[in-house]
Amino acid sequence: MSPPVFLAGTDALERGSVVLDGPEGRHAATVRRLRPGERVDLTDGAGLLAECVVTAADRASLTLDVLARHREPPPVPRVVVVQALPKGDRGELAVETMTEVGVDEIVPWSAARCVTQWRAERRAKALARWRGTAREAGKQARRGRLPEVADLASTDEVAKRVAAASLAVVLHEESDAPLSAMAPPADGDIVVVVGPEGGITDEELARFTAAGGRPARLGPTVLRTSTAGVAAAAVLMTATGRW
């Protein structure tokens, strides 16, 4: 069984001995009940992973010795998914599954037809939930480099990302171009735009294609907005050789 993964600061992981305290330490000691002699991996979420062994444990922290360190290079090319806000808790589901397959950045997008809108009073809390979900899913997936969850983007801001990408794809069920037939770039960002439950408007599609986005379809079926991103990421991870 693989060792559990917890988050720790970069400076702490550079030392020979690490004290894991705070929420991560309490979870490791109280919930996971880790004890001396057990193996644990610690990561800073930015590519540094330390293989450790527990040397001491109390109710709120662990002390660990570092056995080895590994540095994961930045991924090339990066896969960025612009995710229109889904209804209910499907946003967290989308973030969780995209994190598990290896998406490098997730951009919440307030599309015109989104049923859910992050009003000013709930925006920070909703974004914190997405980021917390990415953090926990990254640990579960044993990722040494966690995905970035960007701030809520407007359509104008998404268009700028599309224009700056090495390859930008707009998922659209009426496109004749299969995503699997698109050749990925060797570097830079691959940006995938996933529309809301009501679909991307004609104005949004025109805006993104004018910025260089290429409409594409995943297959003969229409996926939910909360699952389309992970399906597209799987296709691209395979095409780029990252899988």
Side-chain angles (χ1 to χ4, degrees):
M1 185 175 180
S2 300
V5 176
F6 296 94
L7 293 172
T10 305
D11 291 344
L13 298 187
E14 298 287 0
R15 306 184 192 118
S17 180
V18 179
V19 175
L20 185 68
D21 54 14
E24 293 288 281
R26 285 192 296 274
H27 183 77
T30 304
V31 179
R32 298 298 298 265
R33 297 182 179 275
L34 295 171
R35 295 295 178 259
E38 294 190 79
R39 275 273 291 107
V40 173
D41 285 348
L42 301 179
T43 180
D44 63 354
L48 176 60
L49 185 140
E51 297 178 2
C52 304
V53 62
V54 180
T55 56
D58 59 28
R59 289 185 297 177
S61 66
L62 299 179
T63 302
L64 311 99
D65 282 349
V66 176
L67 305 176
R69 295 182 185 85
H70 307 279
R71 295 187 184 275
E72 178 184 326
V76 179
R78 293 175 75 244
V79 175
V80 179
V81 176
V82 175
Q83 173 67 60
L85 302 179
K87 294 185 292 187
D89 60 359
R90 291 187 180 277
E92 286 93 304
L93 173 63
V95 171
E96 180 179 61
T97 53
M98 288 191 287
T99 298
E100 289 174 359
V101 301
V103 169
D104 302 298
E105 185 177 2
I106 301 165
V107 183
W109 169 38
S110 183
R113 290 177 176 162
C114 284
V115 174
T116 297
Q117 294 291 338
W118 288 358
R119 306 301 179 191
E121 63 274 11
R122 61 169 297 191
R123 179 170 172 172
K125 186 177 293 186
L127 188 58
R129 284 200 302 270
W130 279 37
R131 288 172 173 166
T133 298
R135 182 174 62 250
E136 295 306 312
K139 289 159 56 178
Q140 175 66 34
R142 301 184 55 76
R143 288 186 59 167
R145 190 176 291 275
L146 298 182
E148 177 185 353
V149 178
D151 200 358
L152 181 66
S154 65
T155 297
D156 285 347
E157 290 165 334
V158 173
K160 290 177 182 177
R161 283 182 175 267
V162 167
S166 296
L167 170 65
V169 177
V170 183
L171 298 184
H172 199 280
E173 68 273 15
E174 295 181 4
S175 173
D176 294 327
L179 178 61
S180 59
M182 292 187 175
D187 54 20
D189 284 359
I190 301 175
V191 173
V192 180
V193 180
V194 180
E197 285 90 348
I200 292 176
T201 66
D202 291 342
E203 292 79 10
E204 288 167 339
L205 182 61
R207 183 73 182 277
F208 298 151
T209 54
R214 299 166 61 184
R217 60 177 171 81
L218 281 168
T221 59
V222 178
L223 277 67
R224 290 182 182 271
T225 183
S226 54
T227 55
V230 68
V235 172
L236 293 167
M237 292 290 177
T238 303
T240 59
R242 289 179 54 179
W243 273 21

